[in-house]
Amino acid sequence: MVMKEELKYFIMLRLGALVRLYDLLRVKRERWGRCTPVFVLTSGKVASTAVAASLRKARASKYIHHVHFLSPAGICEEKKKQLRCSIPYIARNTTLGEYLAKKWAANPDVRPKIISVVREPVGQAVSVAFQDVKRQS
């Protein structure tokens, strides 16, 4: 059983590194001067993944990104929180937010469209609780 968990963790780390590399290369290739980027910037559990997917399907912009943090302080805090978990990790949208923030800082003349989705607090808390139950099982 321990071997299975170690293997699962090893694979998760390697795949995560490949996904982060893919995101970095994709963001570096984007030409924001030609098409305005769209950031779906939200807290967790507010259906932001569905919003981003709908925007992509509608082809609202060539560059649509779903992130939870763009500020260096927010990204740093989130990384610390993720690394304190029983199985340390860095979420994909955390590193994607970091890449986007750096690119935006390097291109201050670009004015991305930012979509912020909100949800009533009780529904959000219930959704978080169910996600935590899934992770523990």
Side-chain angles (χ1 to χ4, degrees), residues 31-58:
R31 292 183 172 39
W32 287 2
R34 294 183 182 175
C35 186
T36 304
V38 176
F39 300 158
V40 179
L41 177 64
T42 66
S43 60
K45 302 290 147 212
V46 295
S48 52
T49 302
V51 170
S54 296
L55 290 169
R56 285 186 189 103
K57 189 173 182 180

Side-chain angles (χ1 to χ4, degrees), residues 5-132:
E5 287 299 315
E6 289 176 359
L7 181 61
K8 181 179 168 184
Y9 182 63
F10 176 81
I11 292 170
M12 184 180 73
L13 284 177
R14 297 307 174 262
L15 288 177
L18 286 174
V19 167
R20 286 191 295 277
L21 178 61
Y22 167 78
D23 285 340
L24 173 63
L25 295 174
R26 185 173 53 117
V27 168
K28 281 188 175 229
R29 287 188 50 217
E30 291 179 359
R31 292 183 172 39
W32 287 2
R34 294 183 182 175
C35 186
T36 304
V38 176
F39 300 158
V40 179
L41 177 64
T42 66
S43 60
K45 302 290 147 212
V46 295
S48 52
T49 302
V51 170
S54 296
L55 290 169
R56 285 186 189 103
K57 189 173 182 180
R59 299 186 189 278
S61 173
K62 190 174 179 182
Y63 309 124
I64 298 171
H65 299 287
H66 171 221
V67 294
H68 295 300
F69 301 94
L70 278 175
S71 72
I75 291 167
C76 184
E77 276 303 308
E78 188 61 16
K79 279 184 172 181
K80 286 179 187 175
K81 188 170 97 176
Q82 292 167 359
L83 291 172
R84 283 193 304 260
C85 289
S86 57
I87 298 178
Y89 71 101
I90 299 291
R92 180 180 187 180
N93 65 25
T94 304
T95 53
L96 180 59
E98 187 174 21
Y99 302 151
L100 292 170
K102 287 178 182 175
K103 182 160 183 153
W104 193 9
N107 299 284
D109 54 320
V110 172
R111 309 284 296 173
K113 294 178 183 175
I114 298 177
I115 298 172
S116 181
V117 182
V118 294
R119 182 176 181 183
E120 38 75 41
V122 174
Q124 186 176 12
V126 168
S127 187
V128 168
F130 278 108
Q131 181 180 3
D132 287 345

